[in-house]
Amino acid sequence: MDNEPLINAIKTVVDMPDEDLSMLLSCVTRHELKKGQAVLEVGQVCRHFYFVDEGYLRTWYNKDGVVINLNFTFEKGFTSNLRSFKSRSPSEYTIEAGEKAVVYIFDWDKIAAQHIDLPLVALFVRRVAVRLLLASEEHSELFKIYTPAERYHFIEKNNPRLLQRISLSQLASYIGVTRETLSRIRSKN
Amino acid sequence: MDNEPLINAIKTVVDMPDEDLSMLLSCVTRHELKKGQAVLEVGQVCRHFYFVDEGYLRTWYNKDGVVINLNFTFEKGFTSNLRSFKSRSPSEYTIEAGEKAVVYIFDWDKIAAQHIDLPLVALFVRRVAVRLLLASEEHSELFKIYTPAERYHFIEKNNPRLLQRISLSQLASYIGVTRETLSRIRSKN
DNA sequence: TTACGCCTGTGACAATAATCACAATCGGCA
DNA sequence: TGCCGATTGTGATTATTGTCACAGGCGTAA
């Protein structure tokens, strides 16, 4: 496997020597996804985590027939469903490509079975997990602390990529409002 | 130190032999708290995690003069501010006794310095951290997915202890509504 | 017992967001 | 170029929640 972005991202989390790196990479596979193609479906137990090389992954939830977006992961980002993985319970979320995408899939069980004795690999996996949880917590504090308009402006300021890449309709449920309300928030500068 | 609930709680997380346990317990201190007494103040960097033996701990922050409750931790529960700890940044939250309480305080840095070579102690600490993050994520998803009334009924079903121990006024901000709205939700069965 | 503080319930009204309906715009693609 | 479907903007109306005000209940302490 020869992928600079992936290797750079791993080394940013834990700067490991090539021997450890190649062991880790033996548990990773590359996948090209079409828009809408899922890496994790509702009802499956999550056994992987995902690195986005191109495109983006969208985590969403179906509430009474209405799609609610919980997360968007862009290039150089990791994502997963940690709760499903940790508790070995069926995922309530789907994780799928929001557009044509290239992702690397890390096999968590395979890493645990084969390389958990490698301290740097184990550290890498733990750090990714903690980062995912802290990121999820951060997004949720938007909801606890801010009003819908404040949430939009927070994202405008702190995560403008979202506004450039995600359609208003998709963004609305991520912010926790209807698309009409988001349109009106936006029209008021 | 002789405290059954604490030892049982530790062993429920990781069933370790007495040697490891006593090393871990050397980094724990017992504290009796009055109602309102804090274990972590806004602006401090969090260096501990907390086990509740009696009473409960309340995590809250001040938004424009209004108190917003983020968490209640009852007997046999652990809590902390992981973000502050992980990033060594000042806590935005206060963690204090919601009523007269007895808590055990784990010194995270001391454990890391003295006992991180003990695999079971290290495992214990990591598991507690992951559990705290998963619990926090779970509460967050209440906000992302449910309406205020649905949140109340979710708690009614999944965490009725909260309704028994926490006053309506305190619970309201935890659910993300005013106390008047919560009172009306409750009056509609 | 009474007085006081704290908590809860509720009415009236204002503010905010959802819902429904439809028009306008945009971007592929024949 | 012009069509078509998807997306966005916007008005009218309804539903929900917040804000303000005040009454009543409950426990504690003088």
Side-chain angles (χ1 to χ4, degrees):
Chain A
M1 192 174 314
D2 173 43
N3 186 280
E4 285 302 304
L6 173 63
I7 291 170
N8 287 339
I10 291 172
K11 289 193 171 174
T12 300
V13 178
V14 175
D15 190 10
M16 58 181 74
D18 286 347
E19 306 93 85
D20 297 78
L21 187 61
S22 69
M23 297 302 269
L24 176 57
L25 289 177
S26 75
C27 302
V28 181
T29 52
R30 184 176 186 276
H31 293 258
E32 300 189 0
L33 305 175
K34 293 175 198 168
K35 176 174 177 172
Q37 198 175 341
V39 290
L40 177 68
E41 302 263 15
V42 170
Q44 294 177 343
V45 174
C46 180
R47 304 192 177 283
H48 307 89
F49 61 98
Y50 316 100
F51 173 78
V52 177
D53 187 26
E54 294 173 25
Y56 69 88
L57 290 175
R58 178 169 71 94
T59 302
W60 59 275
Y61 168 89
N62 182 324
K63 188 198 177 186
D64 307 328
V66 178
V67 169
I68 298 182
N69 291 314
L70 295 175
N71 186 254
F72 300 99
T73 303
F74 296 106
E75 290 86 352
K76 302 180 187 172
F78 291 92
T79 191
S80 186
N81 179 345
L82 270 187
R83 168 152 22 178
S84 169
F85 171 72
K86 284 280 171 190
S87 65
R88 297 313 213 233
S89 62
S91 175
E92 295 169 35
Y93 312 137
T94 299
I95 303 179
E96 66 175 45
E99 60 187 35
K100 194 166 168 297
V102 176
V103 302
Y104 291 88
I105 300 187
F106 288 67
D107 187 324
W108 224 315
D109 291 335
K110 194 174 172 187
I111 294 171
Q114 297 182 5
H115 307 308
I116 206 59
D117 55 309
L118 299 176
L120 292 179
V121 170
L123 179 63
F124 168 77
V125 168
R126 291 200 307 268
R127 281 198 180 161
V128 169
V130 168
R131 284 177 190 209
L132 294 185
L133 287 170
L134 286 174
S136 163
E137 202 191 1
E138 201 156 332
H139 174 232
S140 57
E141 271 155 30
L142 274 181
F143 285 80
K144 294 181 191 170
I145 296 177
Y146 298 121
T147 64
E150 288 172 335
R151 285 174 221 156
Y152 178 80
H153 294 121
F154 182 91
I155 287 170
E156 212 171 20
K157 191 173 173 184
N158 296 284
N159 204 355
R161 263 195 312 183
L162 273 179
L163 307 187
Q164 294 152 13
R165 305 255 320 247
I166 307 298
S167 75
L168 179 145
S169 299
Q170 293 291 317
L171 195 64
S173 68
Y174 180 80
I175 290 180
V177 295
T178 60
R179 55 168 201 82
E180 293 94 332
T181 299
L182 180 53
S183 173
R184 286 173 182 127
I185 288 171
R186 195 161 70 171
S187 71
K188 285 175 192 151
N189 302 351
Chain B
M1 194 174 316
D2 172 43
N3 187 279
E4 285 303 305
L6 174 64
I7 290 170
N8 288 339
I10 292 172
K11 289 193 170 174
T12 300
V13 178
V14 175
D15 189 11
M16 59 182 75
D18 286 347
E19 304 93 86
D20 296 78
L21 187 62
S22 69
M23 297 303 270
L24 176 57
L25 290 177
S26 75
C27 302
V28 181
T29 51
R30 182 174 187 276
H31 292 258
E32 299 189 0
L33 305 175
K34 293 174 199 169
K35 176 173 177 172
Q37 197 175 342
V39 290
L40 177 69
E41 302 263 14
V42 170
Q44 294 177 342
V45 174
C46 180
R47 305 193 178 282
H48 307 89
F49 60 100
Y50 316 99
F51 173 78
V52 178
D53 187 26
E54 294 172 25
Y56 69 89
L57 289 174
R58 178 169 72 94
T59 302
W60 61 274
Y61 76 94
N62 182 321
K63 189 203 176 184
D64 307 329
V66 178
V67 169
I68 297 185
N69 292 313
L70 295 176
N71 186 253
F72 301 98
T73 303
F74 297 106
E75 290 86 352
K76 301 179 188 173
F78 290 93
T79 191
S80 185
N81 180 345
L82 270 186
R83 169 154 18 183
S84 169
F85 172 72
K86 285 278 172 190
S87 65
R88 299 304 213 240
S89 61
S91 175
E92 296 168 33
Y93 311 138
T94 298
I95 303 180
E96 66 175 45
E99 60 187 34
K100 194 164 169 297
V102 177
V103 303
Y104 290 88
I105 301 187
F106 288 68
D107 187 325
W108 223 317
D109 291 335
K110 193 173 174 190
I111 294 171
Q114 298 181 5
H115 306 307
I116 205 61
D117 56 308
L118 299 176
L120 292 179
V121 170
L123 180 62
F124 168 77
V125 168
R126 290 200 306 268
R127 282 200 179 158
V128 169
V130 169
R131 284 177 190 209
L132 294 184
L133 286 170
L134 285 174
S136 162
E137 201 193 7
E138 196 158 8
H139 177 234
S140 306
E141 272 155 29
L142 275 181
F143 285 79
K144 295 181 190 171
I145 294 176
Y146 299 121
T147 64
E150 288 171 334
R151 284 174 222 155
Y152 178 78
H153 293 121
F154 182 91
I155 286 169
E156 212 172 18
K157 192 173 172 183
N158 296 286
N159 204 355
R161 261 194 314 185
L162 273 179
L163 308 188
Q164 294 153 13
R165 304 256 319 247
I166 307 298
S167 75
L168 180 144
S169 299
Q170 294 291 316
L171 195 64
S173 67
Y174 181 79
I175 289 180
V177 294
T178 60
R179 57 169 200 82
E180 293 92 336
T181 298
L182 181 52
S183 174
R184 283 169 186 130
I185 287 170
R186 197 160 70 170
S187 71
K188 285 176 192 150
N189 303 349

